DNA sequence: TTCGATGCAAATAGTTTGCATTCTA
DNA sequence: TAGAATGCAAACTATTTGCATCGAA
């Protein structure tokens, strides 16, 4: 639900719900529908600046909040840094490498049976779009040397 | 590995590796072995204060870092707030309710088959101790009313 | 023409760091 | 007694908020 496919569909839905459509808001939606997944508020702000007059970061945060409230975007906390935002319709689970910071997108089917048993055993409805699983990617399988770990580094 | 069972075992291991054992550090270990799971640095600091003269929060952070580097503790980010720390030996996966903030501990076996397929399909070695899965607990299954979500509240 | 949206600056939360001092090994 | 650990305060990052102004409907 609330998973509109285009900017205009989303705009219509938001307006029906009483949200006003400002230019900044429309441009933010454009950036979300356009660009890559899991971007931070700051990255989205930078993207928005390219297409519109300066929009303050707090407005970006407020708009992302609003969009999340309406089910248009979801955010997740990958690693130790800023939250990242994705369109709800296209959000997937992610694997986050503790060593190199790489983020791997994973189709939601992979989590189907886990979700089933969490539901059955704990009555817990896992949100597949919010899944962020820490571990080590194929390139970083060797454990860190004792007492001298690799720094968490963004890629 | 590095999963010592007692404070003294851990102290011995740390000393062998060249880490100095201060009183604050020993008390912090005591607090970790003693108290409940997933406590924040601040909560651990408060616990330490009870048994020792004031220890500054930055020292707690530095010590938790050091202990994590030696594989004694692991930390995870549950929800939007402070990181929580657990003894590596006893760390389990957690389910975090997006609505009420409840944290449910889950035995690592539940994730066995997921870990197997992540390894097989993506070459990704999931860290079972770092697993934090968002969703809704049994008490919070009803979705939030449109445009008026419940606040994230710690329990 | 009203009330929601914005900009700006300041507040906040969590965590890290520089530096002089203290204490373990 | 060398070098690791600490305290304190200040820096830092990500995010939120108060308030006056602006603009969509």
């Amino acid at each position: 639900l609330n998973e509109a496919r285009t900017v205009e569909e989303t705009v219509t839905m938001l307006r029906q719900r009483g949200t006003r459509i400002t230019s900044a808001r429309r441009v933010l939606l454009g950036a979300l529908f356009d660009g890559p997944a899991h971007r931070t508020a700051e990255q989205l702000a930078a993207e928005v600046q390219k297409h519109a007059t300066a929009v303050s970061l707090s407005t970006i945060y407020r708009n992302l909040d609003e969009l999340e409230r309406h089910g248009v975007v979801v955010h997740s906390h990958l690693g130790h840094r800023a939250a990242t935002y994705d369109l709800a319709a296209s959000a997937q689970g992610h694997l986050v490498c503790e060593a190199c910071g790489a983020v791997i997108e994973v189709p939601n089917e992979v989590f189907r049976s886990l979700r089933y048993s969490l539901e059955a055993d704990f009555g817990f409805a896992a949100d597949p779009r919010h899944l962020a699983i820490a571990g080590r990617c194929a390139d970083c399988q060797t454990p860190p040397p004792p007492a001298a770990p690799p720094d968490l580094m963004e890629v």
Side-chain angles (χ1 to χ4, degrees), chain A residues 67-99:
Chain A
L67 292 176
E68 185 149 34
R69 229 176 283 130
H70 288 286
V72 176
V73 306
V74 292
H75 79 278
S76 18
H77 295 275
L78 311 173
H80 305 253
R81 307 219 157 256
T84 57
Y85 296 82
D86 289 303
L87 284 176
S90 58
Q92 307 182 84
H94 339 255
L95 310 179
V96 185
C97 181
E98 291 169 340

Side-chain angles (χ1 to χ4, degrees), chain A residues 10-102:
Chain A
T10 310
V11 162
T12 303
M13 183 271 281
L14 289 173
R15 243 199 279 262
Q16 281 170 358
R17 297 206 187 180
T19 300
R20 293 183 182 177
I21 306 302
T22 64
S23 64
R25 201 162 273 186
R26 195 187 288 268
V27 176
L28 173 59
L29 280 172
L32 283 164
F33 274 89
D34 244 23
H38 45 77
R39 279 173 294 172
T40 64
E42 202 149 10
Q43 290 171 326
L44 287 165
E47 193 58 36
V48 166
Q49 314 296 13
K50 294 182 189 169
H51 302 277
T53 57
V55 175
S56 92
L57 193 50
S58 57
T59 295
I60 298 288
Y61 276 111
R62 282 192 271 230
N63 282 349
L64 287 170
D65 265 23
E66 175 83 357
L67 292 176
E68 185 149 34
R69 229 176 283 130
H70 288 286
V72 176
V73 306
V74 292
H75 79 278
S76 18
H77 295 275
L78 311 173
H80 305 253
R81 307 219 157 256
T84 57
Y85 296 82
D86 289 303
L87 284 176
S90 58
Q92 307 182 84
H94 339 255
L95 310 179
V96 185
C97 181
E98 291 169 340
C100 73

